[in-house]
């Protein structure tokens, strides 16, 4: 029997659940992936169609117009200095240099070089720093000509799409030609032809290999690779380009080595067609347009914009006239620099800027008024110490014990000539710019309170600044005149800080608004009464203290600032003593109409170039000269006193005494409890100034960790005779012995006035500048001219009991209900609390 032809059927294997899941997941992913690819391609086609690259065919540049605050044209700027040249005009060696360093596969890719991006990433990781970029020449052209500068994924995506469309529209040679004509090469030169003329004084067709490599290296960073400003960096960059050219076979190693040996020889600077009118202000406007409106310099100078500014021609011309006159800079040893910013305190409008003393300022040069970062010295004291103290409930007549003090960690700041003044008022400490009281007060109110206030005022304070030395201006980073002027607006503007702005609005060539029209931005900082009290104190800095050189025939308030020379061997004399000189000198001041900040110093301070002046001399004199000219024919007005303002002078709080209560740490404590606190110990008599001394300068040094610090500032010689003893001696309970003399000029009679209140039984009036608020003569004699009667009382508490009129210059005392003089100072506020005294907390 034949075997059966039927084959035996095998049972089918069942698919495992795992494989089924994988199959389903793969199918889903495939569907999603295909859908995603479809969506991505559709999105790309939409972006590609919408991308407008027609700008590449338009005229290369349109002038930008700048207007002052009246609407008049200041100047017209353009980058039309560019001379458009065909690609054939440029030597091949120049084209090879550009492609070698910017895009080695330019003639191979289609706009995006994926291989180049990977190679650049590898090289950069290998070298530890950036040696190659991933952007192609086409991408750079798209970014420069078609897009905004923000660093976002959306902008990078648009750049990629634009690059692909450019490659589809133009040939490689056309793209390279546009790139070489539009790109910025620094020093005001747009395009290769103008760059060749600017740097080498020759036509681009005549460029050598070394010159071509130098120029090819600049566009990546025109500032950092400028052969004018940074020749060594430019040379290093040039040699990198030469090495890349040799590696890519575009030149031989011998050509590379020969070109590397060449020294950079630049042509004499050519006359630049830039903003000859108000150059410092225009430069700042360009920076502000870039920072606030997101515009590139290329867009600002080539897009036909109309930029309306806050520049006041009268103010700007006054500043420039003064800065062009060397007579106002008698200490110049060669290279002395200065900068000034003038603002409208009510709005923050920047009215004028002079950024350097250069007689022929270059376009986009360093601006010492807006870009400088220098330690402000004692000019910072009102911002970090005294204004926060007023906001915390302290008053001008509260007292600080000025004596040698170790504030912890070995930090022992010193006053000028190691002089101590015993008990001094807050006001006197500010007027004379004593250092120890400023540090003691900052410690009392809390360093965090001071730093928070300073940061809110716009100062660039760092974490490293959290030291008590910051009270004397020892900033780790420093600040600019623009930032200081902005901070001081709060004192002249009822406690509201006005943010600085130079640009009012920008419109394009068609009249459409670019961005938003600027409006004043005000930030509440102080109670109006506290701001006015601060102004009264700063007025006395000018009329009685270190700022005498700023006096003029109108109300002026302000503060001086000086930083000492670094404590290094370079600034020691043959005996090893510190040279008596300064690194930086400041004056920041204001009238009701203008606030201005002046800085004076050398770009690089060394043993041959340092200041022998202080902020109270030449900077204060510069302020006076510029502001008085700017306000010529402007009616004189007084600082506006806030409604319901009451003179709040304080007088009960004491700081830095051994048993002095720590008021800043007892927030909310009742005034009664504070009044019952133990009295601080009596101070030793203040030392007399030496004969012929022109006054008590600012103190010497800040914390040892800072490079420079607040320096002593002598009053200007024209201030007159030397002051007598400064700071009245606090009396024991019951006052000084009968017949004791009244405090001398500048002294505080608040702790040394009439018999029974610490004064002279003989009834001698306090001398000029004394405070009769809590210590007048027992017989009611009025305080002498200049005395502050803001806290005047009746006989027995220091006031005039017989109604004798006070001489001109004294501040009227608060009135009682009966119409006579008050019998006690205005009530104090608890810390951080306002009691209608004008010095409450910030709003």
């Amino acid at each position: 029997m034949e075997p059966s032809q039927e084959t035996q059927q095998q049972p089918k294997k069942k698919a495992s659940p795992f494989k089924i899941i994988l199959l389903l997941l793969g199918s889903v992913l495939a569907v999603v992936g295909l859908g995603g690819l479809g969506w991505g391609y559709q999105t790309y086609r939409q972006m590609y169609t919408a991308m407008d690259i027609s700008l590449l065919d338009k005229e290369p540049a349109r002038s930008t117009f700048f207007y002052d605050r009246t609407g008049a044209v200041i100047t017209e700027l353009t980058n039309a200095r560019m001379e458009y040249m065909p690609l054939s005009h440029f030597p091949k060696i120049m084209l090879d240099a550009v492609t070698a360093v910017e895009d080695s596969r330019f003639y191979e890719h289609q706009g995006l070089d994926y291989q180049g991006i990977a190679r650049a990433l590898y090289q950069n990781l290998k070298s530890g720093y950036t040696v190659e970029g991933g952007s192609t020449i086409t991408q750079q052209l798209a970014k420069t000509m078609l897009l905004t500068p923000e660093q976002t994924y959306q902008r990078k995506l648009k750049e990629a799409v634009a690059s692909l469309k450019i490659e589809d529209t133009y040939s490689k040679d056309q793209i390279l030609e546009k790139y070489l004509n539009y790109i910025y090469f620094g020093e005001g030169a747009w395009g290769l032809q103008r760059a060749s003329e600017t740097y080498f004084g020759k036509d681009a067709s005549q460029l050598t290999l070394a010159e071509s490599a130098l120029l090819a290296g600049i566009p990546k960073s025109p500032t950092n690779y400028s052969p004018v400003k940074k020749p060594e960096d430019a040379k290093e960059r040039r040699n990198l380009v030469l090495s890349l050219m040799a590696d890519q076979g575009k030149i031989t190693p011998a050509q590379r080595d020969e070109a590397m040996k060449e020294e950079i020889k630049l042509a004499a600077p050519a006359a630049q067609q830039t903003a000859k009118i108000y150059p410092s202000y225009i430069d700042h406007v360009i920076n502000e347009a870039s920072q606030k409106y997101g515009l590139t310099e290329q867009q600002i100078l080539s897009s036909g914009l109309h930029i309306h500014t806050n520049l006041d021609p009268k103010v700007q011309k006054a500043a420039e006239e003064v800065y062009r006159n060397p007579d106002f800079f008698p200490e110049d040893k060669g290279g002395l620099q200065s900068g000034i910013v003038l603002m409208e305190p009510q709005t923050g409008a920047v009215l004028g800027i002079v950024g350097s003393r250069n007689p022929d300022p270059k376009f986009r040069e360093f601006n010492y008024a807006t870009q400088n970062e220098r330690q402000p010295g004692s000019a910072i004291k009102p911002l970090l110490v005294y204004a926060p103290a007023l906001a915390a409930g302290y008053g001008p007549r509260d007292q600080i014990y000025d004596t040698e003090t170790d504030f912890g960690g070995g930090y022992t700041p010193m006053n000028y000539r190691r002089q101590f003044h015993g008990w001094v008022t807050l006001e006197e400490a500010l007027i004379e710019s004593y250092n120890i009281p400023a540090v003691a007060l900052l410690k009392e109110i809390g360093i965090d309170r001071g730093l928070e206030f300073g940061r809110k005022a716009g100062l660039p304070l760092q974490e490293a600044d959290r030291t008590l030395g910051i009270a004397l201006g020892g900033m780790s980073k420093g600040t600019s005149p623009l930032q200081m002027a902005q901070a001081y607006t709060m004192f002249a503007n009822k406690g509201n800080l006005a943010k600085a702005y130079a640009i009012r609005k920008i419109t394009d060539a068609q009249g459409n608004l670019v961005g938003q029209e600027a409006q004043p931005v005000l930030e509440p900082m102080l109670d109006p009464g506290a701001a006015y009290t601060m102004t009264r104190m700063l007025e006395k800095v000018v009329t009685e203290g270190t700022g005498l050189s700023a006096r003029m025939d109108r109300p002026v308030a302000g503060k001086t600032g000086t930083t000492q020379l670094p404590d290094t061997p370079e600034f020691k004399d043959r005996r090893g003593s510190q040279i008596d000189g300064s690194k930086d000198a400041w004056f920041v001041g204001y009238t009701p109409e203008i606030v201005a900040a002046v800085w004076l110093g050398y770009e690089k301070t060394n043993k041959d170039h340092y200041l022998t002046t202080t902020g109270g001399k030449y900077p204060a004199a510069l302020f006076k000269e510029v502001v008085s000219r700017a306000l010529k024919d402007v009616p004189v007005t007084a600082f506006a006193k806030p409604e319901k303002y009451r003179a709040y002078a304080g007088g009960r709080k004491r700081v830095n005494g051994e048993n002095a209560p720590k008021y800043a740490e007892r927030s909310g404590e009742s005034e009664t409890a504070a009044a019952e606190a133990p009295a601080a110990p009596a101070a030793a008599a203040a030392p007399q100034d030496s004969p012929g001394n022109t006054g008590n300068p600012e103190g010497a040094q800040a914390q040892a960790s800072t490079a420079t610090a607040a320096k002593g500032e002598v009053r200007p010689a024209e201030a007159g005779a030397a002051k007598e003893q400064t700071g009245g001696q606090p009396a024991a309970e019951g006052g000084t012995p009968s017949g004791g003399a009244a405090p001398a000029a500048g002294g505080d009679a608040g702790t040394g006035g009439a018999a029974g209140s610490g004064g002279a039984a003989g009834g001698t009036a306090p001398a000029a500048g004394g405070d009769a608020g809590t210590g007048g003569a027992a017989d009611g004699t009025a305080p002498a001219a200049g005395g502050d009667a803001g806290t005047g009382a009746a006989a027995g508490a220091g006031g005039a009991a017989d109604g004798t009129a006070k001489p001109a210059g004294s501040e009227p005392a608060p009135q009682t209900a009966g119409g006579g003089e008050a019998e006690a100072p205005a009530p104090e506020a608890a810390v951080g609390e306002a009691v209608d005294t004008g010095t409450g907390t910030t709003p």
Side-chain angles (χ1 to χ4, degrees), residues 405-408 438-447 468 664-665:
T405 306
D406 185 341
F407 289 98
V439 176
L441 185 56
L442 178 62
K443 183 177 181 181
E444 182 74 7
I445 66 173
I447 190 171
L468 289 175
E665 299 172 3

Side-chain angles (χ1 to χ4, degrees), residues 143-219:
K143 180 171 61 176
T144 300
M145 297 300 298
L146 304 176
L147 302 171
T148 55
E150 75 269 14
Q151 297 295 321
T152 63
Y153 289 114
Q154 184 178 15
R155 204 273 297 162
K156 293 295 291 183
L157 182 59
K158 288 181 179 180
E159 178 186 301
V161 173
S163 300
L164 295 173
K165 191 166 186 177
I166 290 172
E167 291 275 351
D168 290 342
T169 308
Y170 302 100
S171 70
K172 288 289 186 180
D173 284 352
Q174 287 176 319
I175 294 171
L176 187 57
E177 177 181 296
K178 293 178 185 296
Y179 174 84
L180 291 175
N181 277 289
Y182 283 123
I183 205 69
Y184 183 57
F185 285 86
E187 301 300 317
W190 282 264
L192 180 56
Q193 175 65 22
R194 186 61 72 183
S196 180
E197 294 171 349
T198 298
Y199 291 112
F200 302 116
K202 62 170 66 174
D203 190 271
S205 62
Q206 301 171 339
L207 289 169
T208 67
L209 171 59
E211 292 168 344
S212 297
L214 180 74
L215 293 181
I218 293 176

Side-chain angles (χ1 to χ4, degrees), residues 14-44:
K14 293 184 179 180
S16 69
F18 179 70
K19 289 184 178 180
I20 293 174
I21 291 172
L22 284 179
L23 181 61
L24 290 174
L25 182 59
S27 300
V28 170
L29 290 175
V31 171
V32 172
L34 290 173
L37 288 174
W39 175 84
Y41 179 75
Q42 183 64 27
T43 301
Y44 160 73

Side-chain angles (χ1 to χ4, degrees), residues 249-268:
K250 294 177 179 177
I251 59 174
T252 66
Q255 289 176 308
R256 174 198 62 201
D257 296 342
E258 188 66 25
M260 283 185 176
K261 294 177 184 177
E262 289 188 23
E263 293 298 323
I264 298 175
K265 297 179 180 179
L266 302 178

